[in-house]
Amino acid sequence: MSSFRDALIASAALLLASAGAAFAADGATSFHGIGSAPTEAEIAAWDIDIRPDGMGLPPGQGSVADGEEIFTTQCAHCHGDFGYGAGRYPALVGGTVEDLDVQSVRSGPEKTIGSYWPYASTLYDYINRAMPFGNAESLEPDQVYALTAYILNMNGIIDSDAVLDAKSLAAIKMPNEGGFYMDDRPDVHAEACMSDCRDEPKVVSNAKKLAVTPQEEAASQ
Amino acid sequence: MTDTKTPRQTAPRSAGRRAFLRSGLALAGAGAVAATGLRPGAAQAADAPDLIPEWTRYLGQGVVSAPYGKPSAFEKHVVRRTVPWLTATAESSVSFTPLADLNGIITPNGLHFERHHAGYPDIDPQRHHLLIHGMAVKPIKLHLNDLLRYPQVSRIHFLECPANSGLEWRGAQMEKLQFTHGMVSCCEWTGVPVKLIFEQLGVDPKKATWVLAEGADSAAMSRSIPTEKMMDDAILAYAQNGEMLRPEQGYPVRLIVPGFEGNMNVKWLRRLELGDQPWHHREETSKYTDLMPDGRARRFTWLMEAKSVITSPSPEKPVLGKGYNEIRGLAWSGAGKITRVDVSVDGGRNWQEAKITSPVFDKSLTRFALPWEWTGQEALIMSRCIDETGYVQPTLQQLREKRGLWSIYHNNGIHTWMVTKSGEVENVQLS
C-alpha cells in the first residue's frame, strides 16, 4: 500500500510541476490566444474622454452665439430657457461659490456649473458623452464647443463674444477649482460605549409627520 | 356526481379546484361522499375544509410549468420600489431593495437595487466588447466569450450607493426601511480579477496610476479609479448569484470595486483606459463629492464606511406579539469584515452584543440577531457595528457635527426605530 501511496504522491507532484510550467518563465502569466486587437477606428469611436489638462479635446470650435441656438432647440425643454432647470431636471446656472457654506435646514446651497464644478473640461466631456438626454453622442465637436461656451457664458465664466476651441477651453479656470480636497476620513471616531452611555433620549423627528413616503393601496402584509 | 374517475380527471385546475371542492361539499349531504373521494369518517372534515386543503387533495403544477421559476404569489409584495418625487425621469433614477423581506445576506437578482443614469440597455453580447487601452498598454478587445476563458473567481460583496440613507441627513424622512436603507444589495459576483489582465498587459501601477472605467449605456458613465485598487481586488464580473448578470445590473459585464462607492462599479462596462491623472468627470465632481460646512467639498470619497441597520422590527415588519422576539439586521463595511454588532433597545443608553448569524465575508453584508423580550412597551431600538479596522459606526449627530447638513452622501449613521405600544414601528431621530 505504501508504494501505491508513494506513486500517488509522485504523480501529484508531477501534476503540480506541470501546472507551474504553464506560467511564463519571467513569472507573468500568459493567457495567450484570448482577445483581439481593436482597430484605430474602434478605439477612436469610444475614446471620448476629456481631461482637465485638455487631453482628449478634438479639433473644432464654437461660439457662445452658436451655442445659444443649439441650447434653445435641444436643451431648454429640460434645463430651462435660462438654464435654471425645468421641473426636476437639473439647473445649470445658479448659486455662488460664496454661498456653498450656507447650512440652512430648508434647502442646500445651489451647486451648479458656475458655483461648484472645478473644471470646464468636465462640461465638454459630459455634454459630448451623455447629452441630449435620450440622444447621446449625437453632437459634433463644433456643437459641443458651442454649447460649452454658451453654458459657461450663462454662468458668467466667459464673455458673450467668446469662441472656444481646445486651447482656450483648457485654459479656463473655474471659480471653485480650489474648493475640493482629498478624502480625509475617517473623520468621526465613535466609542463603543456599552452602559450608561447617554442622557434620556427624546424623539426630535418622526418620518410620519412629513408623510412623503410612497404608500400602496393594498396592505403588503 | 356518481362517476368514479380519479381526482386528476375530475378536478380542474386552481380556482376550479376550489369550486369543485365547494360543489363536493354541497353534495356531501346528498350522499355523494363516495364520489368526492372522501373517506366515510372524513365527512366531518368536509365541514372544516381547511384541515384538508385543496393542495393536499389535488395535483399541483407539473415540472417546467415555469421554466424560470418565480416566488410564491403570496410573496408578490416583495419587489423593488422607487420614490417618484426623487427624480425627473425613471431612466435617471433609483429603485430600492425590500430589505425587510429578505433573509440571510444574499440579495436575489430580481431585487438588487437599481441606479441608472440613462435607463438600462438590452445589450447583445455579440455586439459588445470591452476595450482596454491607454498609457503604455497594447490595446485589447475582449468579448464576453473571451472574458469567460480567463481564470474565474467568485466573491460575495455588497454594493451600496453613497446616497443610501441620504434622505435622512436632516431628519427622519422616509417611513419604510426600503427607502431609508434600500440602496444596498449583496451578491456573489463571479468574473475575472482585473489584476490578472492588467498584469498580462504589463500595466505598471506606479506609472499608469489611474484607470477610467466607462459604460456602454447612453450615459456612457465614467469614473476615475486608482490602478492600485483595480489591481487589488477589482473584478470584471459577468455573473451574479450564479446566473449571468441581469440587464439592470450591467449585462454582459460590469466592474466590481469591492467596498467602494456603488457608482464606481460601472455597469455595461465598455472601456478601461490607463492614464496618469484623474479625469474629474461629472460623477466625481458635480456628483459624488461631499460638501462640508466650510463650503469646501471632499472628493474621491471612495470608501463605503461601516454601517448597520435593524431590518426586523422595522416599519415593514411590526412586532407581532409580546414575549420572545428576535431583533435582526444587517451590517457591512467597505474596509473589510464586520467583527461585532451591538444593539440597544433603550435609545442608546445601554447596549448588548448581538450574535452574528451568517457567514462573515470581506466587504459583504453580515447578519446579526439579538433575542428580545417585548413587554408591549414603547422602545427605541438601534444597532451599531464595528469593522476589522476597529472603526465604530458613529451616530448621525456625530456625522452632522463634522460634515454639516448638506454632505448628501455617505450617511452611515446609527439608525433608530421606535417600536410603539401597538407593535408598529416608526422611523425617528433622537436628541
Side-chain angles (χ1 to χ4, degrees):
Chain A
M1 288 305 128
S2 83
S3 64
F4 175 64
R5 197 170 63 106
D6 289 344
L8 265 182
I9 291 168
S11 58
L14 196 65
L15 270 173
L16 282 171
S18 58
F23 295 104
D26 63 357
T29 54
S30 164
F31 308 110
H32 67 270
I34 309 180
S36 55
T39 64
E40 287 297 321
E42 282 175 328
I43 298 174
W46 288 6
D47 191 7
I48 56 172
D49 52 280
I50 313 298
R51 250 175 27 176
D53 63 359
M55 190 178 105
L57 282 172
Q61 61 174 50
S63 67
V64 171
D66 288 342
E68 181 172 6
E69 221 178 289
I70 305 168
F71 191 90
T72 306
T73 54
Q74 299 212 44
C75 319
H77 57 277
C78 289
H79 290 294
D81 289 329
F82 303 104
Y84 289 109
R88 294 202 74 89
Y89 285 102
L92 307 176
V93 183
T96 63
V97 178
E98 292 69 39
D99 284 344
L100 289 176
D101 62 0
V102 172
Q103 291 280 313
S104 144
V105 178
R106 278 188 193 285
S107 62
E110 272 212 81
K111 289 150 62 183
T112 63
I113 291 157
S115 67
Y116 192 69
W117 293 32
Y119 303 107
S121 56
T122 312
L123 185 56
Y124 186 104
D125 175 271
Y126 186 71
I127 295 171
N128 186 43
R129 70 175 56 248
M131 290 289 129
F133 191 62
N135 195 18
E137 301 196 43
S138 63
L139 299 167
E140 297 296 322
D142 285 350
Q143 292 176 299
V144 184
Y145 278 115
L147 277 172
T148 304
Y150 179 60
I151 293 167
L152 288 173
N153 169 252
M154 282 203 291
N155 277 276
I157 309 291
I158 60 177
D159 292 334
S160 50
D161 58 0
V163 176
L164 282 186
D165 62 6
K167 190 149 171 268
S168 52
L169 177 53
I172 292 173
K173 287 282 172 230
M174 299 291 278
N176 199 40
E177 183 181 335
F180 294 84
Y181 61 99
M182 271 302 293
D183 187 9
D184 59 351
R185 297 172 302 159
D187 53 349
V188 179
H189 304 279
E191 298 283 318
C193 167
M194 296 305 280
S195 59
D196 289 322
C197 301
R198 60 160 298 160
D199 59 352
E200 169 101 27
K202 288 185 179 29
V203 173
V204 297
S205 174
N206 187 323
K208 271 180 103 122
K209 298 212 166 63
L210 282 179
V212 294
T213 305
Q215 303 290 346
E216 269 151 43
E217 286 123 35
S220 56
Q221 270 82 292
Chain B
M1 282 214 186
T2 54
D3 64 342
T4 51
K5 286 200 181 108
T6 64
R8 185 181 200 287
Q9 288 163 297
T10 52
R13 298 204 181 282
S14 54
R17 269 191 227 111
R18 287 186 212 106
F20 173 76
L21 186 62
R22 272 183 258 116
S23 67
L25 291 172
L27 291 166
V33 170
T36 59
L38 293 172
R39 293 184 310 264
Q44 285 85 354
D47 296 327
D50 277 347
L51 287 178
I52 307 183
E54 60 270 31
W55 48 80
T56 313
R57 295 273 283 114
Y58 309 113
L59 295 178
Q61 307 260 42
V63 298
V64 206
S65 301
Y68 192 94
K70 293 259 154 52
S72 161
F74 295 97
E75 297 298 315
K76 68 180 195 295
H77 59 282
V78 182
V79 290
R80 298 185 278 229
R81 292 182 175 85
T82 189
V83 178
W85 52 256
L86 261 181
T87 56
T89 65
E91 290 83 8
S92 184
S93 191
V94 59
S95 71
F96 301 78
T97 295
L99 292 174
D101 288 294
L102 296 182
N103 294 281
I105 62 172
I106 294 294
T107 308
N109 287 351
L111 297 175
H112 195 296
F113 82 92
E114 303 165 277
R115 202 310 186 216
H116 311 314
H117 290 86
Y120 67 86
D122 212 355
I123 294 181
D124 176 352
Q126 307 239 6
R127 292 173 52 205
H128 176 81
H129 62 266
L130 171 62
L131 169 66
I132 306 179
H133 73 123
M135 191 170 153
V137 155
K138 183 157 167 253
I140 188 171
K141 185 171 124 177
L142 297 167
H143 283 86
L144 176 60
N145 283 342
D146 297 318
L147 290 169
L148 285 162
R149 286 172 60 184
Y150 281 98
Q152 182 194 81
V153 295
S154 294
R155 298 281 181 269
I156 296 179
H157 288 307
F158 76 85
L159 250 189
E160 184 181 16
C161 174
N164 197 22
S165 312
L167 291 165
E168 306 297 304
W169 264 111
R170 288 177 305 289
Q173 181 161 194
M174 304 310 289
E175 293 171 67
K176 299 238 183 282
L177 167 66
Q178 185 161 17
F179 301 129
T180 60
H181 286 75
M183 285 195 262
V184 67
S185 300
C186 185
C187 298
E188 180 201 54
W189 304 102
T190 302
V192 189
V194 173
K195 178 181 160 74
L196 292 186
I197 298 185
F198 274 17
E199 279 174 351
Q200 175 202 5
L201 295 174
V203 171
D204 181 353
K206 291 193 174 47
K207 295 211 175 86
T209 46
W210 289 90
V211 179
L212 184 74
E214 180 182 88
D217 61 326
S218 80
M221 206 198 70
S222 52
R223 282 292 300 249
S224 308
I225 306 170
T227 307
E228 199 186 317
K229 173 64 175 178
M230 290 292 270
M231 295 181 77
D232 177 17
D233 56 1
I235 299 169
L236 298 172
Y238 42 73
Q240 177 188 0
N241 294 334
E243 57 183 18
M244 300 304 273
L245 292 173
R246 289 294 174 94
E248 313 90 276
Q249 263 67 57
Y251 183 87
V253 58
R254 77 170 302 160
L255 186 59
I256 291 293
V257 201
F260 274 19
E261 295 187 309
N263 179 253
M264 299 171 77
N265 293 255
V266 177
K267 301 191 287 282
W268 318 292
L269 191 67
R270 78 167 184 181
R271 195 163 72 94
L272 293 173
E273 179 176 344
L274 278 304
D276 59 4
Q277 289 176 39
W279 280 261
H280 295 291
H281 281 175
R282 188 246 192 188
E283 307 308 330
E284 50 204 9
T285 53
S286 168
K287 304 292 172 190
Y288 302 108
T289 52
D290 311 354
L291 189 61
M292 302 294 278
D294 68 356
R296 295 184 312 145
R298 284 189 180 127
R299 63 158 58 122
F300 297 149
T301 48
W302 300 315
L303 183 72
M304 298 306 293
E305 290 176 303
K307 187 166 172 182
S308 71
V309 68
I310 291 172
T311 57
S312 174
S314 64
E316 294 98 310
K317 293 288 171 204
V319 185
L320 296 176
K322 292 183 199 162
Y324 185 91
N325 280 273
E326 190 174 68
I327 294 176
R328 299 182 187 133
L330 291 166
W332 62 96
S333 173
K337 292 181 176 169
I338 291 295
T339 49
R340 194 175 107 200
V341 184
D342 303 322
V343 171
S344 171
V345 296
D346 63 4
R349 276 176 292 181
N350 298 285
W351 297 79
Q352 302 167 70
E353 186 174 338
K355 207 165 48 151
I356 302 293
T357 56
S358 72
V360 178
F361 297 114
D362 179 60
K363 303 173 183 111
S364 164
L365 289 188
T366 310
R367 259 302 162 190
F368 65 87
L370 182 80
W372 182 45
E373 190 76 14
W374 188 50
T375 56
Q377 294 306 307
E378 196 177 273
L380 296 165
I381 63 176
M382 59 185 72
S383 65
R384 168 186 76 196
C385 67
I386 303 174
D387 72 22
E388 65 177 75
T389 68
Y391 175 89
V392 177
Q393 182 182 7
T395 64
L396 189 47
Q397 292 94 309
Q398 287 175 309
L399 288 171
R400 282 194 200 121
E401 270 158 39
K402 266 281 156 43
R403 305 181 190 172
L405 302 176
W406 293 101
S407 191
I408 298 177
Y409 305 105
H410 295 289
N411 175 9
N412 66 317
I414 290 170
H415 188 79
T416 309
W417 298 123
M418 179 169 77
V419 179
T420 64
K421 291 190 174 148
S422 66
E424 300 287 307
V425 182
E426 294 172 8
N427 175 17
V428 298
Q429 291 183 5
L430 306 177
S431 59

